[in-house]
Amino acid sequence: MLMRSTSTLLAALLAVSLFSGCNKEKAPAAAATATTPTPAAAGEPSPDTVVATYGDGQKITYGDLNDRIKDQLANLDKQKYQLRKQGIDGLVVERLVQAEAKKRNMTEEQLIKAEVDDKVPQPPEAELKKMYDEAKERLPPGTTFEQVKPQIVDFLSGSKKQERAREFFAELKKGANVQITLPEPPRERKTVAATGAAKGPENAPITIVEFSDFQCPYCSRAIETVDQVLKAYPNQVRLVFRHFPLDFHAQAPKASEAALCAQDQGKFWEMHDKLFANQKALEVPALKGYAKELGLDTGKFDKCLDSGEKAAIVQADMADGKKVGVNGTPAFFINGVLLSGAQPFDEFKSVIDSELQAKK
């Protein structure tokens, strides 16, 4: 199989970062945040410029307009910064790959093949069959393992190749002592109640409040990164999970209730993992089946789920999320600083390290 070009691989990796959240537009999840008016940018009208008139000489100024849409403008500034930062990263990596290929007297494609493709072995047969068994019920009747094996190989290898590519690019950047000096917009800080199921020490200097949706694929994708964060900062970070089922994910609210019912029996995180591992099967009978698999008291669980007694908690979480501008998932507030979408580990690290440094 021909190796994808370096630029194609970079584009794929960047696309994963850009389209990293669930919302109605299926675009990057972004939360509106309040900000103070900023001076007019070069080429923009001054705040007192009249942009509309009405009635008997009443005026609307450019400053009035900006104040009306300040949340959206702040969000655009964050999105532009993120795009530029990812663009810089792409440019840096492309040039480092070009330089490394030249140094080794190879083409860029040969370098990527040697450092990525050739270092990712084909998944073992047992892993392939495990994935097939887990997905068998959702496949068309009569679909055999051999029929879908190539697609399973591509799926498992593809994610591992992306992971290896990131490692290789990180090695190149470390070796070249890359420093990103792009000015960052001011980080707005929100007050977010850290109530809900939690991991990590209660006295941790960093609290991450996650608003998530059990039916959102990007929320599932974020789990690995969040686990990486908790492992990297075992004594400094506490994670709190809050529920934010989106209105176009019909099964997500009941899934959140199921997690809360499991929490009553001390198995929130076990149910959390089970739900994210089975996002295509979140109907009520399936939820009750997962409770049985986890060894819960099914009588208590079923009564809890059927009664809808946890719906109020889910609604309260959603209301709190909306107050701080959450409109997509996942959304993370790191000591109140928003990180929106299934972002890579380095994005979490940047905010966490900045917060830890500020506490010294």
Side-chain angles (χ1 to χ4, degrees):
M1 181 174 66
L2 292 175
M3 176 61 198
R4 292 178 296 172
S5 69
T6 306
S7 59
T8 301
L9 179 60
L10 285 170
L13 291 174
L14 288 174
V16 169
S17 296
L18 289 172
F19 297 98
S20 58
C22 292
N23 64 13
K24 289 184 178 180
E25 291 75 27
K26 299 295 177 18
T33 53
T35 184
T36 54
T38 55
E44 284 193 356
S46 64
D48 59 356
T49 299
V50 176
V51 294
T53 59
Y54 62 95
D56 57 348
Q58 299 296 312
K59 301 174 183 178
I60 295 176
T61 67
Y62 192 65
D64 295 332
L65 173 61
N66 281 346
D67 188 60
R68 175 65 179 267
I69 59 172
K70 61 185 178 182
D71 288 353
Q72 294 93 322
L73 291 174
N75 186 47
L76 283 175
D77 285 342
K78 290 182 180 180
Q79 289 183 346
K80 286 192 290 185
Y81 170 77
Q82 196 65 35
L83 282 168
R84 289 184 175 122
K85 186 177 178 183
Q86 290 167 345
I88 289 173
D89 194 56
L91 283 170
V92 167
V93 169
E94 283 182 3
R95 294 181 183 181
L96 291 177
V97 167
Q98 291 168 0
E100 186 68 16
K102 185 176 181 181
K103 177 181 174 182
R104 300 192 196 184
N105 196 27
M106 306 168 73
T107 66
E108 294 169 44
E109 286 71 22
Q110 288 171 335
L111 174 64
I112 296 298
K113 183 177 185 303
E115 289 293 342
V116 178
D117 273 18
D118 293 349
K119 292 191 176 183
V120 177
Q122 178 169 310
E125 194 78 1
E127 187 174 354
L128 300 177
K129 287 184 177 178
K130 180 183 177 183
M131 175 162 279
Y132 168 75
D133 290 338
E134 290 174 350
K136 187 162 51 177
E137 293 181 0
R138 300 190 293 273
L139 295 173
T143 303
T144 66
F145 171 68
E146 292 300 327
Q147 287 175 321
V148 295
K149 181 178 177 179
Q151 290 94 322
I152 298 175
V153 170
D154 287 345
F155 175 79
L156 293 176
S157 298
S159 60
K160 290 178 180 178
K161 285 178 182 178
Q162 284 193 352
E163 182 180 346
R164 171 54 197 155
R166 290 191 186 94
E167 290 175 357
F168 176 52
F169 297 158
E171 292 165 8
L172 291 178
K173 287 190 285 187
K174 184 177 180 180
N177 192 29
V178 172
Q179 302 291 326
I180 304 297
T181 57
L182 179 70
E184 182 177 357
R187 285 174 172 165
E188 301 294 333
R189 196 179 301 276
K190 296 286 188 176
T191 300
V192 186
T195 57
K199 286 182 178 180
E202 291 187 10
N203 62 345
I206 305 295
T207 297
I208 300 177
V209 179
E210 174 186 2
F211 286 90
S212 192
D213 174 326
F214 285 111
Q215 212 173 339
C216 171
Y218 297 99
C219 296
S220 177
R221 180 183 297 167
I223 292 174
E224 183 177 350
T225 303
V226 172
D227 287 344
Q228 187 179 357
V229 168
L230 294 174
K231 289 177 182 176
Y233 300 92
N235 300 314
Q236 294 93 359
V237 170
R238 180 173 177 80
L239 172 71
V240 178
F241 186 97
R242 301 196 68 177
H243 303 267
F244 202 86
L246 298 166
D247 57 10
F248 55 92
H249 285 157
Q251 296 170 347
K254 210 64 181 175
S256 283
E257 292 179 41
L260 290 165
C261 289
Q263 184 175 354
D264 285 350
Q265 299 188 43
K267 290 196 174 182
F268 174 86
W269 293 107
E270 291 86 346
M271 181 62 80
H272 165 282
D273 294 346
K274 180 70 74 173
L275 296 174
F276 275 125
N278 295 276
Q279 288 187 307
K280 301 293 186 182
L282 297 178
E283 304 86 356
V284 169
L287 300 177
K288 293 179 178 179
Y290 302 146
K292 184 177 181 179
E293 291 175 18
L294 293 173
L296 300 180
D297 181 325
T298 55
K300 290 182 179 179
F301 179 88
D302 292 357
K303 181 181 179 182
C304 174
L305 190 63
D306 291 338
S307 71
E309 64 184 72
K310 300 300 183 183
I313 298 175
V314 177
Q315 291 298 320
D317 278 2
M318 292 179 66
D320 283 354
K322 289 175 182 177
K323 286 178 185 176
V324 292
V326 176
N327 63 4
T329 56
F332 301 91
F333 289 87
I334 305 173
N335 279 7
V337 176
L338 173 67
L339 188 61
S340 186
Q343 298 294 336
F345 172 77
D346 285 347
E347 295 297 326
F348 284 86
K349 185 177 187 300
S350 174
V351 180
I352 291 170
D353 288 350
S354 177
E355 290 294 305
L356 290 174
Q357 183 64 33
K359 289 180 178 293
K360 289 184 178 180

